[in-house]
Amino acid sequence: QVQLVESGGGLVQPGGSLRLSCAASGSIFRINAMGWFRQAPGKQRELVAVITRYSSTNYADSVKGRFTISRDNAQNTVYLQMNSLKPEDTAVYYCNAGLRRSDSATYTNYWGQGTQVTVSS
């Protein structure tokens, strides 16, 4: 069984910072890309940032210059440092990983359960 568990969400004032973490656990052979998505009420889920195994990154235009994605391959963990937060960043943030289980020859997408980020004064 493979699990992705997020942590670090919460309530923050505009202009503040939060750091999200997502740890993958279980019988994992290898993880390729990892990423963060978010879904605000009444909106579709959207990509926030993605990082390859070799640390190439890509960001949504709305977060460029404010958010930074990073990962620790040894710990199967991905992070999202969020600075200069705005009310429009309010959403449930989901971790995603494309990984191969130890008992499989193929790669599958896994999702975390989501963590709420609320930016409000």
Side-chain angles (χ1 to χ4, degrees), residues 2-117:
V2 171
Q3 282 189 312
L4 271 61
V5 178
E6 299 112 333
S7 61
L11 173 65
V12 64
Q13 292 187 342
S17 297
L18 281 176
R19 189 189 194 214
L20 305 183
S21 300
C22 172
S25 63
S27 298
I28 298 170
F29 176 79
R30 183 185 175 98
I31 302 177
N32 282 344
M34 303 184 81
W36 290 94
F37 290 72
R38 67 187 181 187
Q39 187 166 17
K43 294 188 176 181
Q44 289 189 331
R45 190 173 297 189
E46 62 175 2
L47 174 68
V48 176
V50 63
I51 184 167
T52 69
R53 180 171 181 81
Y54 302 104
S55 296
S56 293
T57 59
N58 195 27
Y59 297 90
D61 287 343
S62 59
V63 307
K64 282 180 181 176
R66 300 188 298 121
F67 291 10
T68 301
I69 189 170
S70 60
R71 66 189 284 173
D72 182 337
N73 289 335
Q75 299 295 324
N76 288 338
T77 300
V78 63
Y79 305 96
L80 185 68
Q81 177 66 42
M82 304 186 293
N83 299 329
S84 302
L85 282 160
K86 304 175 181 180
E88 50 264 43
D89 295 318
T90 296
V92 178
Y93 283 70
Y94 295 92
C95 172
N96 175 270
L99 63 87
R100 176 181 165 186
R101 290 173 43 164
S102 300
D103 60 353
S104 174
T106 59
Y107 284 83
T108 303
N109 263 333
Y110 285 83
W111 292 91
Q113 81 286 355
T115 185
Q116 177 70 46
V117 171

